[in-house]
Each structure stands twice: as C-alpha cells, then as structure tokens.
Amino acid sequence: MPQPTDASQSQLFESLVSLIVKTSTDLPPDVRAAMRHAVQTEEPSSRAGQALNIISQNIDQAADVEGAICQDTGMPTFEIKTPVGANQIVIKKLVKEAIAEATKRGKLRPNSVDSITGENTGNNLGPGMPVMHFEQWERDDIEVKLLLKGGGCENMNAQYSLPAELPHLGRADRTLEGVRKCILHAVWNAQGKGCAPGAIGVCIGGDRTSGYVEAKQQLFRSLDDINPDTRLADLEAEIMRTANTLGIGPMGFGGKISLIGCKIGVQNRLPASFFVSVAYDCWAYRRLGVLIDAQSGAIKQWLYRDPSVPTIPMMDQAGFKRTGREIRLEAPIDEATIRSLKVGDVVLISGRAFTGRDAVHHHLSEHEPPVDLKGGVIYHCGPVVAKQPDGGWKEVPGMDGSNGYATGQVLYALKQAGVSVRSPMFQRGVQYLLK
C-alpha cells in the first residue's frame, strides 16, 4: 500500500489524540449502562448508594468538561490492526506523539516514572510506555483500540497456578470449578482496593506472560456481549451471580453490586502448567476504539459507541443525597473527634482542606509541613499538571483537578514494603494524618 503522506500522518495524529482524549474523559455506553444498573440496584441512602451517587456525578462532569474521569489516567494499552504494507514504525511514532500531546493538554496525568530513580518523564513516555501490540489483518483500514487501566486496579490483578489451596475455598483443581474458585478469590481479595464495582478479564491457560496478556485482551470485549464458547458463557454468568452476593459493594462499602463484568478467554498450555490469570479493572472502565482510513488518517467509525446517539447522563445532577445520618465536622478537627469515628461513618467536612498525594505523604514523613496541618484535612487528590520546558510543573489552565476516587493506601504500601509500623517514619505519617 502507498506510504503515508505528511497530510495523512497529521490527520492520523489528530485521530489518535481524539481517541485518547475521549477514552480518558467519557465512559462508553456499555459501561455507563452497567453503572446505571448498579445505581438503580443499591439503596440510595446506603453508603454504597451514596458512593455511586458521587461516582455518577463524576462520570457526567468529566464528559461535560472533557476532563479526566479519574486522576489516575492509567497505563495506555493499544491494540492496533494494520493492513498489509502499512508502516508500523510511523504509526508507533505517531501514537507516542499523540500520548505526549494528550498529556500536555491535561487529558492524561503524567504517569511514566523511572522505576529506578522515581523521576517522572512528564509526557507519559519511556521504556515500555505506552504499551502497543500490532497485528496485521486483511482489511484496508487501521483499527486502534485503547484501554486506560489505573494503578490501583492493576495492583489487584492475580495469577494462580493450579492445583492450589485457596483460603476459605479449599483446593482448586485443574477444572472449570477450580477456575471458578480462583476468579472468586481474586474478586474477594480486591475488595474496595480495586475501586469496585469492577470488571474482570480472565485467561485460562497459556503461560505466565501470555495468560496476563490474554486476560487484558478480554477487557476489550463489550460488557453486553455473549461468549461464543457456551462453557465459558455459563462460567461468566455464574461468576457474575456469585460475585454480586459477596457483599463487597461499591468501593468496598458493602452492597449488592461488586462486579459489572466478567469476560473469560482460554489458551492452550503446557502439560506441566495450568495458570489462571485475572486482570481486574475498576468502575472507571476506560476502553474505546476507532476504525481509521489508512489513506487519509481520518476516523471512519468509532467502536463501542455511536457519536450520533446522545450520551444519557448518569444522574439528574441533584447533588449528593443526604440521609440525615451524616456526621458534620469542621476543620480544624481534634484527635478525640477523629478517634470517635467508626468505619462506615459518612462524614461531611467543611473548612480548609489541603490536597496531596503520595509525594506529599512521603515528604511529610521526613520534613516539617509548609503549612499548619494540626487538626487539618488532607484530601488524597492531585491537580492536573503539565511539565514545563524549564523542568517545573504547572497546573493545566481551566482544569480544577481530577477528583475521582483513589485507593489512598500510602501507609499500607509502606507496611507492605517492609517498613515497620513502629518505625519513626511510619508513626510520623500516622500522626500527620491524625492531627
């Protein structure tokens, strides 16, 4: 096929940027429908209902202002099919440029961190980022699918080598029943840490690497499709029925909806191995795709959504629905009041609050705070920022910040990393959060 011209490359770049922006800011209709079902299922006055109320408003507002649905805009994973003869080197270059441009516009958070130095590249590029998988097909168009999967739910991925003994579930053998136990074990372990209600992609078989790849591939399926393998279709339905009786609920607050989707694939394996790989995605299930004219670079068709069909809002924007059971506090708050709170209390806080994420907590563990935090409130949230030419960072104009739910497990992560809960650093972190 003819090589791309400068004009077609420019148009392809714009098409890729449009795909990235739309994926980051507007959930596809099948995910919206699943989340709307969750809203209708949970009792509005329950903690689950209130959480879904806020999540729904967040979904609508993100689409309205074209802002990131969640402050963790995830690991960009592209699945790209090209015609025979298409220059994949050029396409890969344009994908990277489009990622950098979307980051510059504040539609993606700078998420690419050097694993040794901890330095952020500022443009979401670097070794292994973004993830791109190419495949040729016998069609004249280019298909590009994108999945943005955040770090919190990525941490909840799981892989099992069967046979295995699973806590509370017993022995999981190399059977579909054993697979079922593994999947439910993964969902249970995720609790609210994966930002439930989530969707899971599963691979039965393969090796440790190909199993995880296929599990993520399953997340590119629509939530409302039916597995052509009737054995797997039955297993998917059984997992959905059982998982939604576990009581995990939205964000782990308890409730009737813990899972909005389960998609299972299968690969051949070696006789000595039997792996079950689970990829857990959160409620911010950001997945879209486009079909692109290989000659012009223009978008011919959107996948998973029809732009001619108006988006149905999740909520009536009536605001947070109060039950009268909420506890009202005003900062600064004394330690005795904080310690009187119980798990599950819904607290409404007024007064001055400070925003800060992991870097702030790490800084406070070793330095005095730049402001008086005694009795103060820290909201685990970061602004939408872009790296500047001088190496500094600046908040993106017009973007007040992306305030989606975050896992907020800073101290838990320190403990898991081997830091003693009795260490001065850990205790100091606890004190700054309490006082």
Side-chain angles (χ1 to χ4, degrees):
M1 65 177 295
Q3 294 304 304
T5 63
D6 289 344
S8 65
Q9 286 190 43
S10 176
Q11 182 59 61
L12 177 55
F13 167 79
E14 292 298 334
S15 296
L16 292 168
V17 171
S18 296
L19 170 63
I20 296 166
V21 171
K22 181 62 74 171
T23 306
S24 180
T25 62
D26 194 354
L27 288 184
D30 62 318
V31 179
R32 283 176 169 265
M35 290 300 293
R36 192 174 296 109
H37 170 72
V39 171
Q40 295 168 351
T41 301
E42 300 288 0
E43 171 59 43
S45 63
S46 67
R47 291 186 294 272
Q50 290 177 320
L52 287 173
N53 179 287
I54 296 172
I55 288 173
S56 297
Q57 292 182 60
N58 182 81
I59 292 171
D60 286 342
Q61 290 172 8
D64 289 343
V65 303
E66 204 178 68
I69 296 170
C70 177
Q71 58 187 339
D72 183 352
T73 52
M75 172 70 83
T77 299
F78 290 88
E79 299 293 333
I80 305 172
K81 293 181 180 178
T82 62
V84 175
N87 192 328
Q88 295 182 357
I89 295 175
V90 171
I91 296 174
K92 181 179 288 188
K93 172 177 173 290
L94 293 174
V95 167
K96 290 182 177 180
E97 291 177 356
I99 284 288
E101 177 62 24
T103 306
K104 182 179 178 181
R105 297 183 189 180
K107 308 306 179 182
L108 295 177
R109 182 182 72 179
N111 256 359
S112 180
V113 175
D114 187 300
S115 295
I116 297 175
T117 66
E119 182 178 356
N120 195 313
T121 64
N123 59 7
N124 271 312
L125 302 180
M129 287 189 71
V131 177
M132 284 181 271
H133 299 141
F134 283 88
E135 180 183 345
Q136 285 188 333
W137 65 350
E138 294 181 342
R139 294 181 59 178
D140 295 331
D141 299 316
I142 299 171
E143 180 185 86
V144 184
K145 293 182 178 181
L146 172 60
L147 177 71
L148 297 176
K149 188 171 182 294
C153 59
E154 184 71 11
N155 292 340
M156 294 300 103
N157 290 355
Q159 191 172 68
Y160 303 85
S161 178
L162 301 187
E165 288 291 332
L166 302 178
H168 309 295
L169 291 172
R171 181 182 172 88
D173 290 312
R174 296 181 171 190
T175 62
L176 286 183
E177 174 59 19
V179 171
R180 185 186 76 89
K181 289 182 178 181
C182 291
I183 298 172
L184 292 175
H185 184 264
V187 173
W188 177 257
N189 276 349
Q191 293 288 315
K193 294 177 287 186
C195 293
I200 54 173
V202 180
C203 175
I204 305 170
D207 62 14
R208 286 197 180 274
T209 302
S210 64
Y212 265 135
V213 171
E214 176 61 21
K216 276 197 174 180
Q217 284 282 345
Q218 291 296 310
L219 293 174
F220 283 99
R221 289 171 52 192
S222 294
L223 289 177
D224 52 4
D225 74 2
I226 298 177
N227 201 313
D229 186 324
T230 56
R231 299 165 302 176
L232 300 183
D234 290 344
L235 181 56
E236 290 173 353
E238 168 62 20
I239 292 296
M240 289 296 293
R241 283 192 297 268
T242 306
N244 286 324
T245 65
L246 295 178
I248 297 169
M251 302 306 295
F253 291 151
K256 300 174 183 177
I257 301 296
S258 303
L259 209 59
I260 59 172
C262 174
K263 302 299 175 181
I264 304 173
V266 63
Q267 291 191 341
N268 280 15
R269 58 179 176 84
L270 295 172
S273 303
F274 194 116
F275 298 109
V276 178
S277 307
V278 181
Y280 188 103
D281 209 342
C282 61
W283 64 260
Y285 186 2
R286 294 154 290 182
R287 171 258 294 131
L288 279 176
V290 288
L291 200 64
I292 296 175
D293 187 302
Q295 301 299 322
S296 68
I299 294 175
K300 294 178 62 176
Q301 178 185 346
W302 282 88
L303 308 178
Y304 306 107
R305 62 184 295 268
D306 182 353
S308 66
V309 178
T311 298
I312 301 175
M314 292 289 298
M315 299 293 291
D316 59 9
Q317 298 302 318
F320 179 75
K321 297 178 181 178
R322 305 184 184 185
T323 66
R325 299 193 300 270
E326 295 81 12
I327 299 173
R328 299 172 183 269
L329 299 178
E330 183 170 354
I333 308 168
D334 62 83
E335 182 174 345
T337 299
I338 294 296
R339 293 190 179 279
S340 70
L341 299 175
K342 300 178 179 61
V343 174
D345 285 345
V346 176
V347 181
L348 304 180
I349 301 176
S350 59
R352 175 174 293 183
F354 301 93
T355 62
R357 284 184 57 90
D358 307 60
V360 171
H361 296 304
H362 182 268
H363 179 85
L364 293 179
S365 71
E366 299 176 348
H367 303 85
E368 290 297 321
V371 294
D372 183 10
L373 291 178
K374 186 175 178 61
V377 176
I378 297 179
Y379 179 18
H380 189 73
C381 168
V384 177
V385 296
K387 196 167 187 177
Q388 304 302 300
D390 62 2
W393 298 82
K394 185 177 181 181
E395 189 165 2
V396 176
M399 299 295 291
D400 296 327
S402 176
N403 301 327
Y405 276 107
T407 55
Q409 294 184 300
V410 179
L411 295 180
Y412 176 80
L414 289 174
K415 181 176 181 294
Q416 292 297 97
V419 177
S420 171
V421 296
R422 300 184 183 279
S423 68
M425 182 176 73
F426 194 96
Q427 289 295 318
R428 192 169 184 178
V430 171
Q431 290 302 314
Y432 275 126
L433 291 175
L434 291 177
K435 294 183 177 181

